Amino acid sequence: MSHDVIVIGGSYAGMAAALQLLRARRKVLVIDAGKRRNRFAGESHGFLGQDGVDPAEIASKAREQLLAYPTLTWVEGNAERAEGEKDAFVVTTTDGARHDGRRLLFATGVSDTLPAIEGLGERWGRNVFHCPYCHGYELEQGRIGCIATGPMSLHQAQLLPEWGDVTLFLNGAFVPDEAQRADLTARGVTIEEAPVARLEGKADVRLADGRLLQFAGLFTASRNAPSSPIAERLGCTLEETPFGTQIQTDAVKETTVPGAFACGDVSRIPHSVSLAVGDGAWAGAQLHRSLVF
């Protein structure tokens, strides 16, 4: 069976794009590995109409709504390889199945490379976050720790005082200059020079000198990269961002490979559910236009 569009990745951006295409009565195949980036979080915030809802519930309801459209095919699995060209793409899944499509949409999301700190990984998305707009309010203006990963952490530390009393852990990631230190001090940010040894309890920071500092929550910046190499292997150009690498797209979300598009976290910064949904909706409309004109 040939499809108008093959969407690789069935999370928020991919489903938002698929919805636009299905409502144009186009044949859409979604291939989804079932690994949403925010699967570790118990609540989603900042998404209009869904504030405080379990992200799994949002995704499940969205999928249920898509499946009501008769032109949708949903495949659970991993897309291993994409080849071909505009109007004649072929996607192969790990079980060896081959799927034909006129257009491709990469909505694979990104992987997060976290700071190598003991105890951080298991707290990611629960007590350690990257987005204050998504998780800052629930910390009730309590003590907030910001673990630096590089010079961009300065911006994170400057912003976080809107949500609580902030301590910036430099952790050897960068050295703020005199003007930056003065700015942080003026914002009420405490600068901690001692290295972080590990995380304990809910959101407690054990320093290398033995001190234990307790916080309502912690923030840090992960390093991002596309969660799958499938787009790069097809020939799509990647680009560097302050947060890592992403798929390069133009204003209509088309990659450097004609007929192949990308949306969501894998092709834009910054990242949030709301922004991913908006980006997906725009990509879906532009994909439809590319099939018409």
Side-chain angles (χ1 to χ4, degrees), residues 26-185:
R26 291 292 179 167
K27 295 179 180 178
V28 179
L29 169 65
V30 175
I31 302 174
D32 182 49
K35 295 182 178 179
R36 291 176 294 102
R37 186 184 180 195
N38 67 351
R39 62 191 181 277
F40 305 110
E43 295 181 350
S44 177
H45 292 284
F47 185 14
L48 188 63
Q50 301 290 338
D51 193 49
V53 178
D54 185 333
E57 182 181 337
I58 298 173
S60 177
K61 184 176 181 179
R63 176 176 170 175
E64 180 182 339
Q65 292 175 347
L66 291 188
L67 289 170
Y69 290 87
T71 56
L72 172 69
T73 301
W74 189 288
V75 171
E76 294 182 359
N78 288 286
E80 188 172 77
R81 185 172 66 256
E83 53 195 336
E85 58 188 13
K86 187 176 183 178
D87 289 319
F89 289 110
V90 178
V91 175
T92 304
T93 51
T94 50
D95 61 2
R98 291 166 59 88
H99 305 277
D100 300 325
R102 294 180 59 193
R103 301 287 187 275
L104 293 182
L105 175 63
F106 297 107
T108 58
V110 296
S111 61
D112 291 292
T113 299
L114 301 172
I117 297 173
E118 180 184 344
L120 193 150
E122 52 264 44
R123 291 167 176 79
W124 181 244
R126 297 182 176 91
N127 307 111
V128 182
F129 314 105
H130 80 283
C131 173
Y133 295 102
C134 302
H135 302 285
Y137 185 88
E138 283 63 41
L139 300 181
E140 299 290 349
Q141 296 184 305
R143 296 188 67 203
I144 296 173
C146 178
I147 302 175
T149 58
M152 282 297 295
S153 295
L154 173 67
H155 175 71
Q156 194 174 37
Q158 290 171 323
L159 187 64
L160 280 169
E162 293 291 300
W163 286 273
D165 183 13
V166 178
T167 296
L168 171 61
F169 296 94
L170 297 179
N171 204 37
F174 82 108
V175 178
D177 61 28
E178 185 175 335
Q180 291 168 339
R181 285 179 180 272
D183 180 83
L184 290 168
T185 299

